[in-house]
Amino acid sequence: MLTPFFLQACGGGGKSVSMEEIPLTAVDSLANVVGLPTQMVYDDGKLYVVDMFSEDSLLTVWDIASKEKVLSMGRRGEGPEEYLHIGNVDVAEGTNGRKTLYLYDPVRQRMNLFDCDSLLAGYRNRRIVNVPEDWKTIVALRRTDQGYVAIGKEPENKYVLLSDSMGFVALAGAYRPKPDANVPDVIHWMANFGKMELSTDGKTLVDIIYNASVLTCYDVKVNTLEKQWEYVGKELDYRVEGKDFVNNQVMGYLSASVGEENIYALYSGCPDDVDEIAPYG
C-alpha cells in the first residue's frame, strides 16, 4: 500500500514554514522486511530496522546496495542480551570517537551500546548504561551530540536533558495547553505523548504528538532545547473518561524524519481505531 507523506520545509533562517503533500508513486523496498517496523535509521549504507513483530530478533541490519541482511540481533526476553522492548535506536559517534549503536529498552530502563565496526564483524562488545534511579519515569531516550534527550513524566516539561553519563542537565520543552484546567497532570501527559526524531548529527529535534496535528522543531543546545518553529494544524483536543482520555479528533502525526533541508512527517488524519494493530498514515 502506498503511503502519503507530508513535507515540512523550513527556510529563511528556520523561521518560515511551508507544507507540501507528497504522494508516493514508486517504492524501492526491501522485500524481506515484514511485520511492524517501529523505527528505521540509515547510516553509512546500512539500514537499521526495529521490528516489534519479529519472532527471532527485534533489530535487523540491511546493506542497502546489495539488499542483503547483514545482522539480526535482540531476542525478546529477560536474559542478559535480550530485550523486552526496543524503544529507540541511534547510530552516532560515541565518546571514543567511533560509530556506536545505541539501543534503549524502556521496560528495563537501560541503554545498550555497541561498537558498530565490531558488531558488524561479529563481535558484540556491549556496554550497558542504566537510567539513574531519579529518572525511572523515562519512556524514550535518544542520543544527541551533547549527551541524551529523554521523554519523562515531568508535570511541566516534556523533555529531560542528560549528560553522557546520564547525569541530570536540565528540563526543556513544553506540553500543549490543557483543554480544561482541571485535567490531572498524568492524563495530560498521556494525551501529549508522541515521538521525538533527531537529525543524524543530533543537533535538531522534531517533536510530534499522536493525538494532535502539531510539529515542533528544536535546536539541541548544551543545556536546553531552543524552539525554532512550530506548525499547528489541529490543536490537542480530548476529554477525560475515568483515568484515561479520549481523543475528540483524528490521529495526528505518527512519525517524522529530519533531512538535510526538509523535515518529512507521516500524517494519519484517521480516527483512532482500537481494533487496529497499529495506526496507519
Side-chain angles (χ1 to χ4, degrees):
M1 180 171 61
L2 297 181
T3 307
F5 278 83
F6 286 77
L7 169 72
Q8 184 72 39
C10 51
K15 301 302 182 183
S16 175
V17 180
S18 62
M19 180 74 72
E20 178 187 351
E21 181 177 352
I22 304 178
L24 298 184
T25 56
V27 178
D28 184 17
S29 62
L30 297 170
N32 293 324
V33 178
V34 295
L36 182 64
T38 56
Q39 190 174 4
M40 293 184 287
V41 173
Y42 175 80
D43 181 79
D44 195 24
K46 304 293 189 296
L47 185 67
Y48 298 75
V49 182
V50 176
D51 185 351
M52 298 310 299
F53 271 13
S54 174
E55 296 180 359
D56 300 324
S57 56
L58 300 181
L59 177 72
T60 303
V61 183
W62 298 83
D63 182 270
I64 292 298
S66 65
K67 295 190 178 183
E68 296 291 331
K69 184 188 298 185
V70 178
L71 174 71
S72 293
M73 62 176 291
R75 292 181 60 86
R76 194 187 305 273
E78 299 186 44
E81 294 196 29
E82 295 178 332
Y83 301 80
L84 293 175
H85 185 70
I86 295 180
N88 297 109
V89 56
D90 284 298
V91 178
E93 187 174 294
T95 54
N96 59 0
R98 295 168 63 90
K99 282 289 182 69
T100 302
L101 172 66
Y102 300 82
L103 298 178
Y104 180 60
D105 186 335
V107 181
R108 304 181 80 172
Q109 293 277 287
R110 69 185 190 186
M111 178 72 81
N112 293 264
L113 287 72
F114 299 87
D115 181 279
C116 286
D117 290 339
S118 297
L119 184 65
L120 297 176
Y123 303 99
R124 301 190 181 183
N125 298 324
R126 183 176 62 133
R127 184 165 64 92
I128 297 175
V129 180
N130 292 308
V131 174
E133 289 293 331
D134 292 343
W135 301 104
K136 286 300 184 182
T137 59
I138 288 177
V139 294
L141 185 65
R142 299 293 302 271
R143 178 71 192 182
T144 73
D145 70 328
Q146 308 289 346
Y148 298 96
V149 59
I151 296 178
K153 294 183 181 178
E154 297 303 308
E156 302 293 335
N157 300 91
K158 188 168 186 178
Y159 290 103
V160 182
L161 299 181
L162 303 171
S163 65
D164 279 330
S165 59
M166 290 202 184
F168 173 72
V169 174
L171 297 173
Y175 298 111
R176 307 308 304 171
K178 287 184 177 181
D180 185 326
N182 296 320
V183 173
D185 288 340
V186 65
I187 292 182
H188 192 56
W189 174 85
M190 292 165 57
N192 272 267
F193 190 72
K195 202 172 187 180
M196 56 174 164
E197 291 296 342
L198 285 98
S199 58
T200 54
D201 60 8
K203 296 181 179 180
T204 301
L205 182 148
V206 173
D207 175 275
I208 65 173
I209 301 172
Y210 297 140
N211 294 292
S213 304
V214 178
L215 287 170
T216 308
C217 182
Y218 295 95
D219 278 349
V220 181
K221 302 296 184 181
V222 174
N223 58 0
T224 190
L225 297 177
E226 186 178 289
K227 185 162 73 173
Q228 288 301 300
W229 54 261
E230 190 169 76
Y231 171 80
V232 181
K234 293 182 180 179
E235 187 55 90
L236 190 64
D237 178 20
Y238 66 88
R239 64 186 184 274
V240 178
E241 291 189 1
K243 296 183 179 180
D244 205 348
F245 74 95
V246 177
N247 190 10
N248 291 328
Q249 58 182 343
V250 298
M251 294 286 288
Y253 292 101
L254 304 180
S255 189
S257 179
V258 184
E260 293 183 1
E261 297 182 0
N262 303 305
I263 290 171
Y264 302 86
L266 178 63
Y267 182 71
S268 172
C270 298
D272 190 9
D273 187 347
V274 295
D275 294 326
E276 287 281 4
I277 295 174
Y280 298 92

